[in-house]
Amino acid sequence: MEAHKQLTIGLFGFGVVGEGLYKILHQTPSLKASIKKVCIKNPQKKRDAPSSLFTTDRYELLNDPQINVIVEVINETEPAFEIVSTALKNKKSVVSASKKMLAEHLPELLRLQESTGESLLYEAAACASIPVIRNLEEYYDNDLLHSMNAIVNGSTNFILTKMFEEGLDFQEALLLAQQLGFAESDPSLDIEGHDAVNKWSILLTHAYGIVEHPQKLVFNGIQNIRLGDAAVAKEKNHDIKLVAQAKKLKNGKVAAFVLPQFVRHDEHLAFVKNEYNGVVLESGFADKQFFYGKGAGSFPTASAVLSDLSALRYQYRYEYKKLYHHLPNELSDDFYVKAYISFDDWKYMPREKIEWIEEWHAGSARKYLVGGLHFSELKANSWWKENNSSLILFPDPIIEDMEIRKLKKKSLELAGIV
Ligand code: HSE
């Protein structure tokens, strides 16, 4: 068997994750990995490491023949892409945690991995400490994965937990998430669902061989959720979570989106609080499996980088089995979803777009309805997330054609009380 490779690392970024990795590597000498140089943006900032370690010149790392691994954990998307692609072209292995960069540039990065033969690993980019990518690659290397439901953003889950279980207001909870190092430097990326959908597009590639730009997927964040929505959730014995989901439909295609959802108290995802993430996979014969762990923060994220470094010692690389070894799946918009929508005024609700209505509360300042929408409507238009309207899916929200007639009939019966 080939001896384990000595890793000489060039590290880009010394923020929450970079510094976490630096500390962790000092505690794991058995890994035979050492950081030779760290490239940073601002040399004036005080850092808890020898100043000789740092440089602002990226080529000191990228052109150093002794450095055989680049770890890229910076914040900016385009510089991250330039660093990662140059490193691969310069015959270095790469570990990255830049989910936005990876999600937006996946097609180019797939081509670069093929043409250079180098390994690009990014377990830290989705669900931080949970080894979900490697499990999808290695354990679920077949086409039996029926569905994948997950909480993939620690900050929004932290904020929802603090607001609805501990009574903090939104701003207090967000500030705490920022102080603890969970939030993105631009927290709207968390709050409005961008971070979650970036992670989801990465996981869709490993789960189903789907390569889709994240901004083309249907998603929303938690920015419009009000205390009144939490009160309705409570009445129904549900929590509100930002849930990413993917499901194989009867037509053989895949439904995928990231939206707030009512989660029943007895569901696995209801157990996921604060900055924790959780992934529920359902497959042909194993039934349900639940992965749970910290999804943000310095050491949990650095631990996934460490695990990727460890895997590089034996030349591990993603094979993208669902993309290259199976017939890749296609996304579908042809299904319905059952949702709760709260809003300030009826004028913001295009009633003709709502396929059926099961509940209808018009009395108070904040109004709501429970009904069904064709998913293509969510994709084509955004009225459901504008003007303070808040759409929250019901548990098991996906409804396929067969069930629809029954629901529409029930809706017509209910129309008598409208
Ligand atoms: N801002 C991200 C989150 C950090 O809250 O999940 C981890 O990717």
Side-chain angles (χ1 to χ4, degrees):
M1 198 174 149
E2 202 175 338
H4 279 173
K5 188 165 134 185
Q6 173 79 38
L7 305 177
T8 306
I9 300 167
L11 172 63
F12 281 85
F14 206 71
V16 173
V17 183
E19 188 173 5
L21 179 69
Y22 175 76
K23 289 185 184 154
I24 282 185
L25 278 174
H26 276 113
Q27 292 170 38
T28 45
S30 60
L31 194 62
K32 289 206 286 182
S34 60
I35 297 178
K36 185 171 179 198
K37 239 349 171 239
V38 183
C39 184
I40 37 116
K41 204 164 73 175
N42 175 5
Q44 316 309 341
K45 205 158 142 190
K46 254 196 83 57
R47 294 180 173 88
D48 199 8
S51 58
S52 59
L53 198 60
F54 297 98
T55 177
T56 52
D57 176 8
R58 64 167 76 163
Y59 294 103
E60 256 193 70
L61 283 62
L62 291 169
N63 291 339
D64 183 338
Q66 275 181 352
I67 289 179
N68 53 8
V69 183
I70 292 294
V71 174
E72 178 282 305
V73 288
I74 67 172
N75 249 325
E76 297 88 355
T77 304
E78 291 316 310
F81 177 62
E82 285 161 24
I83 289 161
V84 168
S85 32
T86 310
L88 291 170
K89 286 179 200 153
N90 288 3
K91 293 293 191 190
K92 299 183 192 305
S93 308
V94 180
V95 178
S96 170
S98 296
K99 47 259 159 119
K100 186 168 185 296
M101 180 279 287
L102 292 160
E104 289 179 357
H105 289 285
L106 204 55
E108 297 108 297
L109 293 171
L110 287 169
R111 281 195 291 275
L112 268 173
Q113 288 171 81
E114 272 206 320
S115 64
T116 62
E118 292 300 324
S119 178
L120 166 63
L121 303 181
Y122 42 80
E123 189 64 73
C127 302
S129 73
I130 306 177
V132 60
I133 297 179
R134 237 178 296 162
N135 270 301
L136 289 170
E137 277 282 308
E138 306 307 327
Y139 189 88
Y140 294 95
D141 62 342
N142 49 53
D143 57 2
L144 295 172
L145 195 63
H146 291 339
S147 70
M148 178 165 77
N149 284 352
I151 291 171
V152 296
N153 180 269
S155 300
T156 43
N157 203 52
F158 181 87
I159 292 169
L160 291 172
T161 308
K162 293 291 173 214
M163 280 174 73
F164 300 145
E165 292 184 24
E166 295 174 30
L168 265 63
D169 74 26
F170 188 92
Q171 286 307 329
E172 281 174 320
L174 170 59
L175 191 66
L176 207 51
Q178 287 175 303
Q179 285 164 348
L180 291 167
F182 305 149
E184 298 301 298
S185 39
D186 170 4
S188 66
L189 291 175
D190 294 303
I191 306 305
E192 293 169 13
H194 299 280
D195 182 71
V197 79
N198 288 334
K199 290 166 175 167
W200 206 231
S201 108
I202 295 171
L203 291 183
L204 284 173
T205 303
H206 293 278
Y208 290 111
I210 290 168
V211 181
E212 183 74 315
H213 194 285
Q215 295 295 323
K216 285 197 176 161
L217 294 169
V218 168
F219 72 97
N220 199 11
I222 61 167
Q223 69 275 21
N224 292 339
I225 294 176
R226 301 278 176 277
L227 279 172
D229 302 327
V232 176
K234 208 166 179 178
E235 268 169 33
K236 296 183 186 297
N237 261 326
H238 297 327
D239 286 330
I240 299 174
K241 301 274 183 197
L242 183 60
V243 181
Q245 48 194 299
K247 186 178 178 193
K248 254 218 140 150
L249 300 175
K250 293 185 189 111
N251 67 12
K253 296 185 179 179
V254 173
F257 46 86
V258 179
L259 291 167
Q261 186 175 319
F262 289 141
V263 173
R264 281 190 296 264
H265 286 162
D266 61 355
E267 282 185 67
H268 292 97
L269 293 184
F271 179 74
V272 181
K273 312 265 185 199
N274 292 314
E275 79 274 26
Y276 279 84
N277 284 183
V279 185
V280 180
L281 300 177
E282 195 167 356
S283 72
F285 302 106
D287 207 341
K288 277 189 183 166
Q289 287 168 311
F290 177 43
F291 298 79
Y292 169 76
K294 285 196 170 165
S298 179
F299 288 159
T301 312
S303 84
V305 175
L306 187 80
S307 178
D308 281 349
L309 286 170
S310 183
L312 284 178
R313 292 179 312 156
Y314 49 88
Q315 277 83 35
Y316 178 75
R317 43 182 311 200
Y318 300 141
E319 289 176 69
Y320 298 94
K321 297 190 179 82
K322 312 291 171 45
L323 187 61
Y324 298 136
H325 302 182
H326 295 265
L327 207 56
N329 288 279
E330 272 178 58
L331 286 173
S332 171
D333 296 339
D334 195 11
F335 59 96
Y336 297 84
V337 287
K338 179 173 168 181
Y340 154 101
I341 311 174
S342 68
F343 47 92
D344 291 339
D345 198 303
W346 281 107
K347 68 179 182 214
Y348 300 129
M349 286 299 107
R351 288 186 230 181
E352 72 285 359
K353 302 278 179 76
I354 301 168
E355 304 278 344
W356 74 91
I357 294 181
E358 297 178 26
E359 277 184 56
W360 178 296
H361 294 257
S364 55
R366 187 83 176 159
K367 306 163 198 338
Y368 75 83
L369 61 85
V370 174
L373 292 163
H374 197 266
F375 187 73
S376 58
E377 178 56 28
L378 297 187
K379 189 150 191 178
N381 294 307
S382 49
W383 55 266
W384 51 276
K385 54 177 169 180
E386 284 166 358
N387 300 305
N388 281 327
S389 299
S390 172
L391 178 141
I392 304 175
L393 294 177
F394 259 63
D396 306 320
I398 295 173
I399 296 168
E400 297 188 58
D401 269 341
M402 319 289 236
E403 298 140 282
I404 200 76
R405 277 187 222 117
K406 217 166 50 201
L407 285 159
K408 281 192 170 168
K409 185 166 169 283
K410 189 172 158 203
S411 167
L412 286 177
E413 284 162 13
L414 274 174
I417 59 157
V418 171

